């Protein structure tokens, strides 16, 4: 991440992911910041090289992807969209409340059952 907008987005995502158990952040061979749980990616953050616009990709299932695409503000992620991934539309303003929910749901899809149970029990105790 080089742009101010991209660095700000990265910090927000880090804050969302911080309470989630066993999240690993790394930079892949393409320079994307990738958030993984037990080796499975659930968020990928990159930058459009020509404009420096951040690109946020979130794991989802195909049903959720369909609903998000119909709602607007999201596009099918290039290369991995056929697996349900969505990307924040670069022309849309991020809705961080919604993105927080989507990122947590993506984590729960990627995480092993033991960690899912841990997160759900923790959230149940808070409410």
């Amino acid at each position: 991440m080089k742009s101010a907008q991209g660095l700000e987005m990265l910090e927000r995502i880090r804050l969302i992911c911080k309470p989630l158990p066993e999240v690993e952040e790394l930079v892949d061979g393409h320079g994307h910041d990738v958030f993984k749980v037990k080796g499975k990616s659930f968020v990928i953050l990159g930058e459009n090289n020509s404009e420096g616009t951040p690109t946020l990709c979130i794991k989802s299932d195909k049903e959720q992807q369909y609903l998000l695409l119909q709602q607007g503000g999201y596009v099918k992620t290039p290369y991995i969209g056929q697996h349900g991934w969505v990307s924040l539309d670069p022309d849309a303003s991020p809705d961080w409340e919604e993105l927080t929910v989507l990122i947590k749901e993506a984590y729960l899809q990627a995480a092993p059952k033991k960690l899912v149970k841990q997160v759900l029990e923790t959230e149940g105790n808070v409410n």
Side-chain angles (χ1 to χ4, degrees), residues 12-65:
R12 283 181 176 248
I13 293 167
R14 284 178 176 150
L15 289 173
I16 294 166
C17 292
K18 187 176 182 174
L20 301 171
E22 299 190 38
V23 171
E24 174 185 26
E25 179 185 347
L26 56 94
V27 177
D28 71 9
H30 300 287
H32 302 120
D33 290 275
V34 181
F35 291 82
K36 295 184 172 198
V37 56
K38 293 291 189 180
K40 293 188 177 182
S41 302
F42 65 97
V43 171
I44 302 170
L45 183 62
E47 279 184 322
N48 178 320
N49 292 337
S50 61
E51 302 159 16
T53 306
T55 57
L56 173 60
C57 312
I58 304 170
K59 180 178 182 65
S60 67
D61 60 31
K62 290 185 179 190
E63 289 175 33
Q64 184 181 42
Q65 179 193 55

Side-chain angles (χ1 to χ4, degrees), residues 17 24 30 32 39 44 51-52 86 89 94 96 99 101-102 104 110:
C17 292
E24 174 185 26
H30 300 287
H32 302 120
I44 302 170
E51 302 159 16
V86 294
D89 185 332
W96 283 103
L99 288 172
V101 170
L102 292 175
K104 287 180 180 178

